[in-house]
Amino acid sequence: MERVTVALDERSYDILIDNGLLDRAAEFLAPLARDGRLLVVSDETVWAALGSRLVAGLGDIEAVPILVAPGEESKSWTGLRAVVDTLIDRGIERKDHIIAFGGGVIGDLAGFAAAVVNRGCNFVQVPTSLLAQVDSSVGGKTGINVTAGKNLVGAFHQPSLVLIDPSLLDTLNPRQVRAGYAEIVKYSLIEDAELFGWLERDGLEVLNGDPTSRIHAIAAAVTGKARIVERDERETSGRRALLNLGHTFGHALEAETGYSDRLLHGEAVALGCLLAFDFSAAKALCPIEDADRVRGQFVRAGLPTRLAEVGLERLGERLVGHMQRDKKRDGGRTAFILTRGIGQAHVDRQVELAEVADFLDRAA
Ligand SMILES: NC(=O)c1ccc[n+]([C@@H]2O[C@H](COP(=O)([O-])OP(=O)(O)OC[C@H]3O[C@@H](n4cnc5c(N)ncnc54)[C@H](O)[C@@H]3O)[C@@H](O)[C@H]2O)c1
Ligand SMILES: [Zn+2]
């Protein structure tokens, strides 16, 4: 078993990673139960696929499921209200631990419910998608989407434990696995060139479900995220902004495709990371060879690498328009994560959007 600690003073917690952890859930979760039961927030798809394994793994502890429909629509005021009302109906107390059992939608929704119900109770992340295992379950960002945009309402609320069982990915759709893989590549590009080299050799093993490779890749990714979150928990100093590599471009692509199945978040991140590398290379900040290696990595993983592949070429003005509406803006400027090469990302707040629009118009 791998253990990664997120060191945040009294909010510190462990991330445990091993195949079969769900089947031993009682070992970790029974001490957190009250009156022999745990309230588990999940979505209907995850519960149908994996609920029985959790129930069996909890042994004598009763799992009380609180289910929402699968999909981003549940990460909403309506979804939050339903979850919070049910938690209160079921007698949630402040010292209780809610279990968030699902992908990023469930982690964000259940985490935010935990942040606000009774002015804050505890929660444990048991992420079931690769994206949630390497990204959303760690770091304490929780929230919902509102009419004006995604993730605009939320709270920083750290979990008290994260249990990652890579074997849960066996029931996840392969396209979703590839999308989560893009976030692993992202961490390597930020500041872990060694991980990038490892992914070039062994990355396909992760996608093919090799148990040992999955643990290695997930542990490396969450370690990368933990170290950044420790330095800047609430995104105040700018360090945490590095995690947005590929996301300024990526969110614009997602906004343009209406956050639909046409382009999954991780697919947008793959394209976004490449655009950040190509843009950096065009500005002579980064060797073109590094951008080519990144492209090779995503091509091998079966992720999109060209705007034209997803029908988003020559849309510079529109994409920059989405960036201007992004909540991550600071003092009216958009922060870009640029790079001097693989493992050497940095924040640049001086990029002119006109230059970006022009670059996007020329990107194929
Ligand atoms: N809090 C953060 O730091 C953070 C970071 C990144 C993303 N996010 C959020 O995460 C969300 C995306 O997460 P996601 O990609 O996991 O989406 P998701 O939670 O919608 O899961 C994707 C789909 O896979 C299904 N699923 C999940 N695990 C499964 C499994 N093991 N077997 C079968 N089906 C399974 C779900 O039911 C869903 O239909 C977005 O809302 C995004 O904003 C948050
Ligand atoms: Zn992301």
Side-chain angles (χ1 to χ4, degrees):
M1 180 166 74
E2 294 276 347
R3 179 189 301 264
V4 177
T5 301
V6 187
L8 293 168
D9 302 321
E10 72 282 4
R11 292 178 309 289
S12 299
Y13 54 98
D14 282 342
I15 305 164
L16 306 181
I17 309 155
D18 204 359
N19 294 298
L21 276 189
L22 190 69
D23 311 305
R24 299 159 52 195
E27 207 176 301
F28 312 100
L29 301 182
L32 308 178
R34 179 171 57 85
D35 301 333
R37 54 168 218 160
L38 285 164
L39 301 176
V40 181
V41 179
S42 190
D43 76 36
E44 284 148 7
T45 305
V46 169
W47 191 255
L50 298 165
S52 57
R53 259 181 84 183
L54 175 63
V55 167
L58 282 175
D60 292 340
I61 304 297
E62 183 198 357
V64 180
I66 298 175
L67 303 184
V68 300
E72 201 65 38
E73 297 71 35
S74 289
K75 224 181 93 174
S76 60
W77 287 116
T78 318
L80 178 72
R81 185 171 165 177
V83 169
V84 167
D85 281 347
T86 314
L87 288 167
I88 294 170
D89 276 353
R90 306 283 157 135
I92 184 92
E93 291 186 11
R94 208 167 191 186
K95 288 188 179 148
D96 287 350
H97 288 77
I98 298 169
I99 311 300
F101 184 50
V105 162
I106 291 300
D108 283 11
L109 174 66
F112 189 39
V116 295
V117 74
N118 295 346
R119 295 207 178 83
C121 65
N122 304 301
F123 81 116
V124 174
Q125 290 270 20
V126 185
T128 63
S129 69
L130 184 55
L131 182 126
Q133 295 191 342
V134 298
D135 192 353
S136 57
S137 65
V138 173
K141 279 193 182 178
T142 71
I144 57 169
N145 307 319
V146 295
T147 315
K150 278 203 42 157
N151 300 320
L152 285 181
V153 171
F156 285 98
H157 189 52
Q158 299 291 347
S160 39
L161 176 67
V162 183
L163 288 184
I164 302 182
D165 182 346
S167 79
L168 307 190
L169 304 176
D170 291 341
T171 57
L172 187 67
N173 158 334
R175 186 179 173 200
Q176 295 279 359
V177 175
R178 291 194 292 275
Y181 181 82
E183 299 275 7
I184 302 179
V185 176
K186 176 196 80 173
Y187 292 110
S188 74
L189 297 176
I190 294 173
E191 53 183 8
D192 193 348
E194 196 185 318
L195 174 61
F196 186 86
W198 185 88
L199 291 169
E200 279 186 320
R201 286 190 310 277
D202 292 341
L204 287 183
E205 298 297 318
V206 178
L207 290 165
N208 292 337
D210 173 62
T212 317
S213 308
R214 271 177 178 168
I215 293 178
H216 178 82
I218 293 169
V222 296
T223 302
K225 180 153 188 185
R227 297 296 91 91
I228 291 174
V229 168
E230 284 166 351
R231 280 177 272 162
D232 182 19
E233 186 183 2
R234 290 176 168 245
E235 209 163 316
T236 40
S237 76
R239 288 298 297 178
R240 191 166 176 155
L242 288 176
L243 294 171
N244 291 329
L245 174 63
H247 283 64
T248 308
F249 287 109
H251 284 150
L253 302 174
E254 282 184 280
E256 182 64 24
T257 47
Y259 297 95
S260 66
D261 276 0
R262 210 179 122 193
L263 190 67
L264 298 181
H265 174 73
E267 294 167 346
V269 168
L271 279 167
C273 284
L274 259 173
L275 289 168
F277 268 77
D278 285 343
F279 186 65
S280 301
K283 288 169 82 71
L285 279 171
C286 147
I288 191 82
E289 294 75 27
D290 282 27
D292 289 341
R293 277 176 76 191
V294 178
R295 180 164 280 106
Q297 172 79 253
F298 287 135
V299 167
R300 277 191 302 282
L303 284 155
T305 56
R306 304 268 174 203
L307 290 178
E309 260 178 79
V310 287
L312 293 170
E313 72 279 22
R314 290 190 299 278
L315 291 175
E317 283 301 328
R318 288 187 61 85
L319 295 174
V320 162
H322 294 302
M323 291 174 188
Q324 280 171 321
R325 285 184 287 276
D326 198 311
K327 74 172 187 303
K328 296 252 160 61
R329 277 164 68 84
D330 183 3
R333 290 200 77 89
T334 302
F336 282 83
I337 316 305
L338 301 186
T339 180
R340 295 194 176 79
I342 289 163
Q344 301 176 64
H346 63 275
V347 185
D348 188 329
R349 295 178 201 280
Q350 304 306 324
V351 176
E352 293 301 334
L353 287 180
E355 187 186 354
V356 175
D358 184 51
F359 162 76
L360 287 170
D361 278 335
R362 283 182 286 108

CSV table of all heavy atoms in Angstrom, one decimal, residues 37 39 97 145 178:
chain,number,residue,atom,x,y,z
A,37,ARG,N,-23.2,2.9,11.6
A,37,ARG,CA,-23.5,3.2,10.3
A,37,ARG,C,-22.8,4.4,9.7
A,37,ARG,O,-22.3,5.2,10.5
A,37,ARG,CB,-25.0,3.4,10.1
A,37,ARG,CG,-25.6,4.4,11.1
A,37,ARG,CD,-27.0,4.9,10.8
A,37,ARG,NE,-27.0,6.3,11.1
A,37,ARG,CZ,-27.9,7.1,10.6
A,37,ARG,NH1,-28.9,6.7,9.8
A,37,ARG,NH2,-27.8,8.4,10.9
A,39,LEU,N,-23.1,7.4,6.4
A,39,LEU,CA,-23.9,7.9,5.3
A,39,LEU,C,-23.0,8.0,4.1
A,39,LEU,O,-21.9,8.6,4.2
A,39,LEU,CB,-24.4,9.3,5.7
A,39,LEU,CG,-25.3,9.3,7.0
A,39,LEU,CD1,-25.7,10.7,7.4
A,39,LEU,CD2,-26.6,8.4,6.8
A,97,HIS,N,-18.7,11.4,9.8
A,97,HIS,CA,-17.9,11.4,8.6
A,97,HIS,C,-18.8,11.0,7.5
A,97,HIS,O,-19.3,9.8,7.5
A,97,HIS,CB,-16.7,10.4,8.7
A,97,HIS,CG,-15.6,10.9,9.5
A,97,HIS,ND1,-15.7,10.9,10.9
A,97,HIS,CD2,-14.4,11.4,9.2
A,97,HIS,CE1,-14.6,11.4,11.4
A,97,HIS,NE2,-13.8,11.7,10.4
A,145,ASN,N,-21.9,23.9,-9.5
A,145,ASN,CA,-22.0,24.8,-10.7
A,145,ASN,C,-23.3,25.6,-10.5
A,145,ASN,O,-24.2,25.2,-9.9
A,145,ASN,CB,-22.1,24.0,-12.0
A,145,ASN,CG,-21.0,22.9,-12.1
A,145,ASN,OD1,-19.9,23.2,-11.8
A,145,ASN,ND2,-21.4,21.7,-12.6
A,178,ARG,N,-9.0,7.3,-20.0
A,178,ARG,CA,-8.0,8.1,-20.8
A,178,ARG,C,-8.0,9.6,-20.4
A,178,ARG,O,-7.0,10.2,-20.2
A,178,ARG,CB,-8.3,8.0,-22.3
A,178,ARG,CG,-8.0,6.7,-22.9
A,178,ARG,CD,-7.9,6.7,-24.4
A,178,ARG,NE,-9.2,7.0,-25.0
A,178,ARG,CZ,-10.2,6.1,-25.3
A,178,ARG,NH1,-9.9,4.8,-25.0
A,178,ARG,NH2,-11.3,6.4,-25.9
